[in-house]
Amino acid sequence: MNSRIQAIHARQIIDCKCRPMVEVDVITEGGFSGTGRAPTGSSVGMYESFVLRDHNPKEYHGMSVHKAVENVNRRLAPALIGMDVLDLPAIDRRMIELDGTENKKNLGGNAIYSVSIAAFRAAAACCRQPLYSYIAQKEIETVPIPSFNIINGGRYSDLVQPFNEFLILPYKARDIYEAVEMGVNTFQELKSVLTRFLGGKSPETAPSYGYAAPSEDPEIVLELMQEAVARCGYSEKMAFALDCASSEMYNPVSGTYLLKGEQVSSGQLIRYVKNLTEKFPFVFIEDLLDENDWDGWQKAHQEITDALLLGDDLIATNPKRLQKACSLAAIDGFILKPNQVGTITEALKAYDFARKNHLLATPSGRSGGVVGDVVMDLAVGLSVPFIKNGAPRSGERIDKLNFLMRVCDASPGCRLSDISPLLRF
């Protein structure tokens, strides 16, 4: 088995939103290969690794990534030829050194991350293992519970729903097959619930493929979700989650947040969400406050006791920010998005810190998703309890569900993760 890199090649492809992205192949001297792609989010936190785009208005409205592709082919590839894919930390460290910036702005986080994934997959191929098995280094015993982002907030023509994602988690499903069916059935039933609420008008599809929020009042949205769950007979088996994405609705000048058409303080927002967690069964609340509102996060963690508090933009899968949040006792866990930090090695470092400090790591894809996302291999290989999957509508999101069912089928005795010890409602 020869696991040294023989060739690296990058190209431009498009993601599920038809935005250009980087794709990289890494080929070893033994003929083993791996492919990596760098999806990005629609909303990108200020602490994420830099997505290098060309800003040429004549191509994809400035979104093309030829510069990042060229950086892989002309700068990264020559420096990495001959390195061993089985030593991913050395490969990632070399790329970070070549870039020389804190946020990978020189070569592009999308360039570096794509190479990191491709080398990771090539290493698993050299060992003749699926990547999730290569990560686990043991038999697969569980798959995570998927969560479904079924209603999407944001700014619409007729209203602004300040909370970004309204999710359901089939936490009492007997297996992954029932969990997927419960998510799909509830999502489909929700259409008729929303149609009735909208006076006979079918709900719109939001940019993240869930239904567009029908109200600027989060409680009304949750009540409609609750109705759909009840119609399906899942009231005792389904829980909720919320991604507030509050950095999107934060006014840094006044230090206030938008909520139901008004600007409120962090304290008011915390009290409002605390009230929601006392009315509805919440597994987690994500990004309740702005990514720089450390005082607010500490206060929220003290006051909200009926749900887990997870940081996404706050942490950006960055080990340093995760350590700070841990030292301040500001969170119960974080959203694991490897492209935020820019290499697999750094993402795994954040995961290891979380595990050692009894914090949750919840893998999630990005809105600009891809089929075959590495976060699914991480989710299974690291045996995480639950993940963020997205709405059961678009191909790359359905691919994630099918991935979990395939893994379960291929792993004798595999069961759905039990998250009952984590629940606070």
Side-chain angles (χ1 to χ4, degrees):
M1 177 182 68
N2 197 325
S3 54
R4 296 195 176 277
I5 296 174
Q6 183 180 66
I8 297 177
H9 179 71
R11 65 186 66 84
Q12 175 177 283
I13 62 171
I14 57 174
D15 65 17
C16 72
K17 292 180 176 293
C18 292
R19 300 177 304 185
M21 68 189 304
V22 179
E23 181 178 71
V24 174
D25 297 326
V26 167
I27 303 171
T28 71
E29 292 176 359
F32 299 98
S33 64
T35 299
R37 307 170 191 90
T40 57
S42 292
S43 62
V44 178
M46 66 186 298
Y47 296 105
E48 294 192 28
S49 65
F50 185 74
V51 177
L52 180 61
R53 297 194 183 274
D54 301 332
H55 301 293
N56 176 5
K58 296 182 179 179
E59 185 173 2
Y60 285 103
H61 306 288
M63 301 286 281
S64 61
V65 291
H66 297 302
K67 292 177 182 176
V69 167
E70 185 175 345
N71 285 341
V72 174
N73 292 333
R74 296 192 179 183
R75 299 180 66 180
L76 291 174
L80 300 179
I81 298 299
M83 295 190 74
D84 192 336
V85 294
L86 299 179
D87 189 358
L88 186 62
I91 292 172
D92 288 345
R93 185 166 55 249
R94 179 66 175 135
M95 291 192 289
I96 291 170
E97 291 170 351
L98 286 168
D99 177 84
T101 65
E102 181 72 20
N103 67 344
K104 302 174 179 64
K105 188 173 184 178
N106 185 10
L107 298 176
N110 46 339
I112 293 171
Y113 178 56
S114 299
V115 175
S116 185
I117 299 172
F120 200 28
R121 291 197 179 280
C126 286
C127 296
R128 294 179 170 83
Q129 291 181 293
L131 181 54
Y132 60 84
S133 295
Y134 178 73
I135 295 168
Q137 291 297 299
K138 63 178 183 179
E139 296 296 320
I140 302 301
E141 298 178 350
T142 63
V143 292
I145 296 173
S147 63
F148 301 82
N149 172 19
I150 59 174
I151 291 184
N152 303 157
R155 301 179 188 277
Y156 297 100
S157 59
D158 56 340
L159 63 88
V160 178
Q161 168 51 251
F163 295 160
N164 189 41
E165 296 178 358
F166 294 78
L167 304 98
I168 52 174
L169 284 87
Y171 73 103
K172 280 191 176 180
R174 64 177 177 270
D175 53 34
I176 184 58
Y177 309 105
E178 184 183 39
V180 171
E181 183 181 5
M182 288 173 65
V184 170
N185 286 348
T186 304
F187 183 66
Q188 293 174 347
E189 183 63 32
L190 181 61
K191 181 177 181 180
S192 64
V193 172
L194 293 175
T195 299
R196 176 191 56 78
F197 178 80
L198 295 169
K201 178 184 176 183
S202 293
E204 296 180 8
T205 299
S208 291
Y209 305 110
Y211 297 114
S215 169
E216 66 179 15
D217 186 338
E219 188 167 353
I220 289 176
V221 174
L222 290 165
E223 288 171 348
L224 293 169
M225 290 168 57
Q226 195 172 53
E227 181 181 342
V229 169
R231 284 190 183 187
C232 292
Y234 301 145
S235 296
E236 302 303 316
K237 303 173 75 173
M238 189 78 79
F240 296 157
L242 190 63
D243 174 9
C244 301
S246 287
S247 292
E248 297 292 312
M249 299 292 172
Y250 179 67
N251 185 326
V253 177
S254 63
T256 58
Y257 297 86
L258 181 65
L259 179 64
K260 295 195 290 184
E262 298 180 358
Q263 295 299 130
V264 301
S265 68
S266 61
Q268 290 173 301
L269 181 59
I270 291 167
R271 287 191 293 274
Y272 178 80
V273 171
K274 177 179 173 63
N275 182 60
L276 292 181
T277 64
E278 293 169 350
K279 290 185 175 181
F280 302 93
F282 274 98
V283 176
F284 69 86
I285 306 292
E286 175 189 341
D287 274 357
L288 172 57
L289 298 157
D290 179 67
E291 56 204 330
N292 292 307
D293 190 356
W294 290 103
D295 290 340
W297 276 95
Q298 285 181 285
K299 182 178 181 181
H301 195 233
Q302 292 169 355
E303 295 193 10
I304 295 177
T305 57
D306 292 339
L308 299 162
L309 283 188
L310 305 184
D312 179 18
D313 291 342
L314 178 75
I315 306 300
T317 315
N318 186 304
K320 292 179 181 178
R321 293 186 64 81
L322 183 59
Q323 289 167 20
K324 179 176 180 178
C326 181
S327 69
L328 295 174
I331 57 171
D332 296 299
F334 77 107
I335 305 298
L336 178 63
K337 296 176 178 175
N339 83 296
Q340 288 180 323
V341 68
T343 66
I344 294 295
T345 299
E346 291 168 291
L348 289 175
K349 183 179 178 181
Y351 168 80
D352 287 338
F353 179 87
R355 179 177 54 82
K356 291 174 183 176
N357 287 274
H358 310 291
L359 297 171
L360 288 168
T362 301
S364 172
R366 303 308 300 265
S367 64
V370 294
V371 170
D373 195 328
V374 71
V375 300
M376 297 306 298
D377 291 279
L378 290 168
V380 171
L382 299 175
S383 301
V384 303
F386 56 84
I387 62 172
K388 290 186 66 182
N389 181 76
R393 194 198 301 261
S394 61
E396 79 292 339
R397 287 153 171 82
I398 293 170
D399 176 66
K400 290 177 172 64
L401 299 172
N402 288 337
F403 179 92
L404 295 177
M405 292 188 283
R406 291 190 191 103
V407 168
C408 195
D409 180 66
S411 307
C414 183
R415 63 188 187 280
L416 190 65
S417 178
D418 176 16
I419 66 169
S420 56
L422 301 174
L423 301 178
R424 296 182 175 178
F425 56 85

